[in-house]
Every structure is written in structure tokens, then in C-alpha cells.
Amino acid sequence: MSSIRIKKERRSPERHRRRSRSRSRSRSRERIRIKKEKPDDSHRNGHHGKRESHDHSSHRRDDAGQSRDRHRSRNDDHQRVKQERVKQEREYNDEARRRDRKHRPQNPFSNSDQDRQDWGGQNDSGASQDSEGENPNPAPKDQPNFGVSGKLAEDTNTFRGVVIKYNEPPEARIPKRRWRFYVFKGEETLPVLHLHRQSAYLLGRDRKIADMPIDHPSCSKQHAVFQYRLVDYQKEDGTIGRRIRPYIIDLESANGTFLNNKKIEPKRYYELQEKDVIKFGFSTREYVLLHANSKDTDDDMD
């Protein structure tokens, strides 16, 4: 048994080798046969590969050109649509302006027929008074107004950034006589105000521009003006002379200016006499007008 087992062990590797050799030979024969049957097209395949790559690149270029053309045409269409919209908007705005010119609105703040005609070109019945001849008697056109508007005075009469309501008249002069304001508050005597150093004095609550500040809350920022004017007068012998006299003018203040306990009209000059008493608003201060030589009655001559 042992010998038979040894023989079997010796024979089995050899048999395995033979089988492996036969398998390898059969495989090699099969490869040779397949190789003989299959033609060698390596050079042809290489040539066709180059041609195919060239065709692919040309197709890619064509696709890129077509996409650029499509994009360009799309942009052109967008620009064309945009131009059409702008044109339509302009035409619509022009038409709206023409309609507005034909149908002007009435003046809501006027009650008179003439004002409504001047404002909107229509009467109470709503009939249009345009140039088509519907109204046989059209209203006369407004003529240019070359009157003083006050804008130039605002530009030239500004002091410290504030527009002054008052402009001095051409006859403004500096006096020779030394006028003064003696100020009284009840039984109390306040400092004297000298009035001979300039031709006009602005009185008001705004200390930035007022020559004589008035601090009472009932007074306006620009309340009144004390003004010297060169005026004509008739002498005893009948001749005409000229003298400088003091005047007071109220600048449309809220609570008014009082001369000898009588309220004066705004925007009007009032000549002052010696010992006149002036009050502003509801202030209790009294301004008594005197001069250095109150006993002397001679007038200022120019």
C-alpha cells in the first residue's frame, strides 16, 4: 500500500504538467489562428482616426459660429424692441402734452370768471376758449409786467444772511441835530439811546440785524424803522426850505407800533415831533424823543 501511494504521488505532478502544456499549446494555436484570420488595419485605423478628429474639430467650430450668430441676432432683436418701446413712449408723452395744453385746469383758488379764464382758458360752463374760434370775444392776453418784484432788493439788501424788509428812501440823510431816545419802564429810567450817528435804525427782536434790540416777546423780529428824511417845508416868508426830520414806519409787525398811545398804520411814514412817546407791541417801555438842545427850536438846514 505504501508503494502504490508513492507511485501515485510521483505520477500526479507529471500528469499535471502535461495537461498544462497541452492547454498552453492549444491557446497559442488559437491566438495564431485568430491573428491570421483578422487583417492588419492598424495604418488604416490611424488614418481614419485623424480624419475623424479633424471632422470633430470642424463640427465644433461650426457649432461655435452658429451660437455666436444666434447670440448676435438675439441682441439685435433686443435692441430693436427697446428702440420701439422708446419711440412709443415719446409719442405717448407728446400726445399727453398736447392734450394738457388743450385742456388746462381751472384755478381752484379763484371765484371770478376773469381769473378762471386767465388761469385755465375756460368759463363757468366749461366751454373752451382756444384759438379755434368758439369764443367770439376772447380775453386779452396778459402783457409783460416790468414792475419791481422785490427779488433784486432781496439780493442786495441782505445783512448777515437775513433779508431786510426795509430799504432806505433816496431822501435819507444823517441829521445834524443829536436826537435821542429816553427810555422809561414804569418808574425806572433806562440808558439813553443816541440816534444821530446814522440815517436809519432798525428796531426788532432779532439781535443779529437790529440796530436797537427790543426783547419783548410781543415784538416782531423786524418791527419798525426810525428814519431821517430830507423834506421840503415852507418858511414864514413864503419861501421853500429843506430840513431833516425824524420819521417812524411800522414794518407790518404782529402787534403794531404806537405813537402817543395811538396805533399807526403799517408801511407808512409818520413824522415825529419833540417829546413824542413811542411804544412797540405790548411792551411797557416808553421811548421819548428828545435832542441835545431841546429848548432850541431851530430846524436842521441842509
Side-chain angles (χ1 to χ4, degrees), residues 227-240:
Q227 176 70 60
Y228 290 107
R229 300 171 64 197
L230 179 64
V231 295
D232 298 334
Y233 75 103
Q234 187 175 4
K235 297 181 180 180
E236 295 179 358
D237 56 359
T239 59
I240 302 299

Side-chain angles (χ1 to χ4, degrees), residues 161-179:
V162 180
V163 179
I164 307 300
K165 296 181 180 180
Y166 177 77
N167 285 323
E168 288 194 72
E171 66 272 14
R173 297 291 188 277
I174 297 177
K176 296 179 181 179
R177 180 168 291 175
R178 297 185 176 182
W179 291 93

